[in-house]
Amino acid sequence: MFLEYTKKKLINKSIVEYLQVKNQDIISISGAGGKTSTIKLLAKNLVREHKKVLITTTTKMFKTADAITIRDKNLLKQKLKQQNWVFTGQDYGKKISSWDEEFLREIISLADITLIEADGAKRLPFKFPKQKEPVYISSSNKVVYIVGMSALNQPLKSLCRAELLAKFLQKQVNENLTKNDIIKVISSEQGARKDIGRRDFFVILNQVDTLLALKEAIFIAEKLTECKIKVAISSYRDEF
């Protein structure tokens, strides 16, 4: 399920349509609760459209068997020609980490679209950024912020950067995350909109796997669209 919320309506759209993806886009994905799944879905849709897609990170991502961790531009170019997508970064044990900025610029030029996981959340569904998070490269022109709706009504102490989140919300860490808390974080330049600058900004309310979650997500989406923030509602449960 992938639905854009606009003009108080839910409209079926592909993720590519929602993000208005075009050639040479460098899309950074931040937040929590489905960043990697969002990248997979987006890459799958783009490859169907015969786009060459580079997937990498400016922080750390879990390494898959097909990840290329060799600093070899020609190898990456060959892989993109063979299968239209490539997943790459420096070897970091069970994870990959970011390439240096010079090499990153070189390999971005090989692809039509670049997808960058720019945030880490310890597999938790919601987070508040610390000082040097997220990590956006200067050439990134779009930011997609993910919220895992399973975080709603959970104690702040169970979420990523709990102490920072509690301080921002002026709450105790044993209090629960509310709909208005999520709206406040997404709307704030200290929270989800941190370091956005002139980049296009999109929100995906993910993990909307029940009718109750859908009702709550619609409430949040309506308030955010009133602030002129683009919002989609998703469930990736049956996508992979």
Side-chain angles (χ1 to χ4, degrees), residues 57-80:
T57 181
T58 51
T59 55
K60 295 179 183 68
M61 291 178 72
F62 279 97
K63 183 169 60 181
T64 59
D66 50 23
I68 294 178
T69 58
I70 301 171
R71 195 181 192 276
D72 187 332
K73 184 177 176 180
N74 289 329
L75 175 60
L76 293 171
K77 186 175 182 178
Q78 181 184 351
K79 281 291 184 181
L80 279 170

Side-chain angles (χ1 to χ4, degrees), residues 40-160:
K40 286 181 180 178
L41 178 62
L42 188 48
K44 184 168 75 171
N45 277 262
L46 289 168
V47 168
R48 280 191 198 136
E49 296 182 8
H50 308 291
K51 302 294 185 184
K52 295 189 183 302
V53 182
L54 176 73
I55 303 168
T56 190
T57 181
T58 51
T59 55
K60 295 179 183 68
M61 291 178 72
F62 279 97
K63 183 169 60 181
T64 59
D66 50 23
I68 294 178
T69 58
I70 301 171
R71 195 181 192 276
D72 187 332
K73 184 177 176 180
N74 289 329
L75 175 60
L76 293 171
K77 186 175 182 178
Q78 181 184 351
K79 281 291 184 181
L80 279 170
K81 187 175 181 180
Q82 289 173 349
Q83 60 188 27
N84 279 359
W85 66 272
V86 69
F87 175 46
T88 184
Q90 293 194 74
D91 198 329
Y92 197 82
K94 293 182 179 180
K95 295 184 178 183
I96 63 165
S97 64
S98 177
W99 290 114
D100 60 87
E101 191 170 343
E102 180 184 353
F103 187 60
L104 196 52
R105 280 199 303 267
E106 288 181 23
I107 61 177
I108 282 172
S109 69
L110 301 174
D112 297 318
I113 315 292
T114 300
L115 309 178
I116 301 175
E117 186 163 306
D119 213 355
K122 302 178 182 178
R123 295 193 166 185
L124 298 172
F126 195 82
K127 76 168 289 185
F128 192 84
K130 66 179 182 181
Q131 186 178 2
K132 294 184 179 180
E133 294 174 333
V135 183
Y136 300 134
I137 61 173
S138 59
S139 54
S140 175
N141 65 310
K142 290 181 178 176
V143 169
V144 184
Y145 190 83
I146 312 297
V147 171
M149 288 296 293
S150 64
L152 185 62
N153 299 321
Q154 296 303 309
L156 304 186
K157 64 185 177 183
S158 68
L159 306 176
C160 192

Side-chain angles (χ1 to χ4, degrees), residues 22 28 32 38 45 61 65 71 75 86 98 101 103 118 125 145 148 157 169 172 180 192 206 208-209 218 220 225 236:
K22 60 185 185 300
S28 296
T38 297
N45 277 262
M61 291 178 72
R71 195 181 192 276
L75 175 60
V86 69
S98 177
E101 191 170 343
F103 187 60
Y145 190 83
K157 64 185 177 183
L169 295 172
Q172 300 299 314
N180 287 327
N206 188 36
V208 181
D209 301 328
I218 289 171
I220 293 168
T225 53
Y236 300 149

